């Protein structure tokens, strides 16, 4: 296997932490001794061990501490993100690698977090460890695009999501719920919910569709539910306000905490609403959010240029009339079939 193969293994491991590591990044680590992988790991759920710790511990469990340390002195550790250099929920990983005496570290990309950002790399180099940075760096940054966006833009990573008919309609003209995408697409959406920190809808969607916005068709943690409801018109017994997930209601009436419900009053509610919401979520350490609708809500974020990724389901069904789907322009990243539906993913360029 080549250096690139080992780093690709790190990336493959990293994504196994999707939906569990936030606000930490997803990281994978692989330890190679004499062309053999002797330990590997990925970041544990938030508050737990980082990828490097899990990889080192696996090697020690396999070979015993004495033999493992002897192997580390001739081994290379591949890591998809710069090892941390500060004390947080866990001790610095850079210190661990130095103490374990690794011969070399290959790092995909540096960590932009202010307390790391080159400091982890410097610790390794000051200890005399051979280092290499940049292997599959672009791919590593893509995996952690949520983490990078939050640090570099001071807002969550924004995913727009909707379904439309083959002839471009988003919803029926009458106030009624009408399903567009198929069952497989619905399950995929629930998987996405488990991977992101939050999901947002407007008042009209909450009243018309009465969605729960939870992970029911997939195994995972329910995201935070975000509701835009200026005058608190959504009835208290509606699904979006139940106790199945933390729910944040942005409104113009009150700020109040009620267990899992957090009402956040925004001054000048109609002025720069998307920006206000995203800044508040950033302060709450929300790293990513899915904007599910309705059309007015989606258009509000599109018109403000506040989106990073759009995931658009197109069914084979035609309606001939209805509310036109949102329009967004971006670079096509992917186009796949999901049963009878097609799924197009656009990246904001």
């Amino acid at each position: 296997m080549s250096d690139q193969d080992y780093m690709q293994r790190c990336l493959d491991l990293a994504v196994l932490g999707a939906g569990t590591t936030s606000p930490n990044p997803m990281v994978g680590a692989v330890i190679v001794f004499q062309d053999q992988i002797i330990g590997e790991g990925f970041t544990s759920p938030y508050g737990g061990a980082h990828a490097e710790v899990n990889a080192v511990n696996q090697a020690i469990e396999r070979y015993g501490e004495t033999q493992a340390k002897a192997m580390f002195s001739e081994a290379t550790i591949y890591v998809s993100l710069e090892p941390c250099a500060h004390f947080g929920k866990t001790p610095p990983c850079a210190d661990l690698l130095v103490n374990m005496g690794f011969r070399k570290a290959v790092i995909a990309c540096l960590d932009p977090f202010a307390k790391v950002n080159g400091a982890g790399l410097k610790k390794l180099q000051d200890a005399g460890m051979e280092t290499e940075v940049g292997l599959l760096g672009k791919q590593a940054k893509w995996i952690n695009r949520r983490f990078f966006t939050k640090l570099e833009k001071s807002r969550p990573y924004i995913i727009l999501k909707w379904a439309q008919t083959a002839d471009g309609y988003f919803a029926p003209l009458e106030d009624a719920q009408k399903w567009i995408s198929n069952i497989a697409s619905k399950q995929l959406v629930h998987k996405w919910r488990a991977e992101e920190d939050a999901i947002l809808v407007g008042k009209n969607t909450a009243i018309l569709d009465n969605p729960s916005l939870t992970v029911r068709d997939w195994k995972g943690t329910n995201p935070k539910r975000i509701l835009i409801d200026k005058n608190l018109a959504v009835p208290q017994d509606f699904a979006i306000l139940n106790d199945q997930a933390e729910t944040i209601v942005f409104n113009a009436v009150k700020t109040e905490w009620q267990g899992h419900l957090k009402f956040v009053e925004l001054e000048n509610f109609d002025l720069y609403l998307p920006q206000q919401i995203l800044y508040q979520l950033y302060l709450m350490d929300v790293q990513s959010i899915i904007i599910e609708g309705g059309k007015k809500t989606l258009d509000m974020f599109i018109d403000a240029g506040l989106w990073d990724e759009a995931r658009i389901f197109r069914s084979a069904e035609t309606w001939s009339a209805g509310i036109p789907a949102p329009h967004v322009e971006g670079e096509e990243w992917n186009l796949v079939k999901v049963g009878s539906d097609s799924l197009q993913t656009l990246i904001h360029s």
Side-chain angles (χ1 to χ4, degrees), residues 186-239:
K186 178 183 177 183
Q187 185 179 39
L188 179 57
V189 169
H190 284 220
K191 176 180 181 292
W192 292 343
R193 290 176 182 175
E195 294 172 347
E196 310 304 335
D197 285 355
I199 183 168
L200 180 149
V201 297
K203 173 222 16 162
N204 292 339
T205 296
I207 292 176
L208 182 63
D209 295 347
N210 194 18
S212 63
L213 303 182
T214 55
V215 179
R216 302 183 304 283
D217 295 337
W218 197 262
K219 184 179 179 181
T221 303
N222 291 329
K224 289 181 174 65
R225 299 179 296 203
I226 314 300
L227 172 63
I228 304 175
D229 187 5
K230 181 177 181 179
N231 298 310
L232 301 181
V234 176
Q236 287 291 302
D237 61 349
F238 269 42

Side-chain angles (χ1 to χ4, degrees), residues 50 53 83-88 90-99 123:
H50 291 186
V53 175
C84 61
H86 65 293
F87 281 89
T90 60
C93 290
D95 290 356
L96 172 70
L97 302 190
V98 169
N99 292 337
K123 280 191 174 188

Side-chain angles (χ1 to χ4, degrees), residues 31 33 56 68-77 93-105 124 127-130:
I31 302 170
F33 171 75
V56 166
K69 279 191 172 183
M71 298 167 86
F72 293 159
S73 67
E74 299 178 32
T76 297
I77 184 166
C93 290
D95 290 356
L96 172 70
L97 302 190
V98 169
N99 292 337
M100 289 294 157
F102 281 94
R103 181 183 67 84
K104 182 178 180 180
L124 305 184
M129 194 180 304
E130 184 182 347

Side-chain angles (χ1 to χ4, degrees), residues 272-317:
Y272 301 112
L273 181 56
Q275 290 88 343
Q276 288 195 74
I277 290 171
L278 293 174
Y279 182 63
Q280 291 295 326
L281 294 178
Y282 167 75
L283 294 178
M284 296 176 189
D285 232 0
V286 172
Q287 190 166 259
S288 62
I289 185 168
I290 301 175
I291 311 294
E292 278 222 356
K295 186 174 186 301
K296 179 182 177 182
T297 301
L298 285 160
D299 282 342
M300 180 173 64
F301 282 87
I302 292 170
D303 292 345
L306 290 170
W307 66 279
D308 299 289
E309 191 174 329
R311 300 174 181 177
I312 307 165
F313 290 102
R314 288 182 173 83
S315 75
E317 188 175 350

Side-chain angles (χ1 to χ4, degrees), residues 31-209:
I31 302 170
V32 177
F33 171 75
Q34 295 181 351
D35 297 323
Q36 296 291 323
I37 294 176
I38 61 170
E40 60 182 23
F42 59 93
T43 302
S44 301
Y46 179 64
H50 291 186
E52 300 93 323
V53 175
N54 288 331
V56 166
N57 286 343
Q58 187 182 86
I60 290 174
E61 288 172 8
R62 285 177 173 175
Y63 301 99
E65 186 170 354
T66 301
Q67 185 179 352
K69 279 191 172 183
M71 298 167 86
F72 293 159
S73 67
E74 299 178 32
T76 297
I77 184 166
Y78 296 80
V79 190
S80 61
L81 188 71
E82 178 185 7
C84 61
H86 65 293
F87 281 89
K89 295 284 186 181
T90 60
C93 290
D95 290 356
L96 172 70
L97 302 190
V98 169
N99 292 337
M100 289 294 157
F102 281 94
R103 181 183 67 84
K104 182 178 180 180
V106 179
I107 302 164
C109 61
L110 297 183
D111 186 337
F113 183 53
K115 292 183 179 180
V116 186
N117 201 14
L121 176 65
K122 187 174 185 302
K123 280 191 174 188
L124 305 184
Q125 293 173 335
D126 287 349
M129 194 180 304
E130 184 182 347
T131 59
E132 179 184 332
V133 179
L135 182 64
L136 299 187
K138 183 177 180 181
Q139 294 88 332
K141 288 180 180 178
W142 170 255
I143 285 174
N144 276 314
R145 58 196 182 278
R146 300 160 183 82
F147 178 72
F148 276 78
T149 296
K150 180 173 178 285
L151 290 178
E152 294 172 353
K153 298 185 178 181
S154 299
R155 65 162 175 80
Y157 186 86
I158 304 163
I159 300 169
L160 308 178
K161 172 262 165 185
W162 71 85
Q164 64 186 61
T165 64
D167 49 353
Y169 293 109
F170 175 83
L173 291 171
E174 67 277 7
D175 285 340
Q177 186 180 32
K178 192 174 181 181
W179 201 260
I180 295 176
S181 53
N182 62 36
I183 294 174
S185 295
K186 178 183 177 183
Q187 185 179 39
L188 179 57
V189 169
H190 284 220
K191 176 180 181 292
W192 292 343
R193 290 176 182 175
E195 294 172 347
E196 310 304 335
D197 285 355
I199 183 168
L200 180 149
V201 297
K203 173 222 16 162
N204 292 339
T205 296
I207 292 176
L208 182 63
D209 295 347

Side-chain angles (χ1 to χ4, degrees), residues 18-35:
T20 67
T21 65
S22 179
N24 286 339
M26 297 178 288
V27 183
V30 171
I31 302 170
V32 177
F33 171 75
Q34 295 181 351
D35 297 323

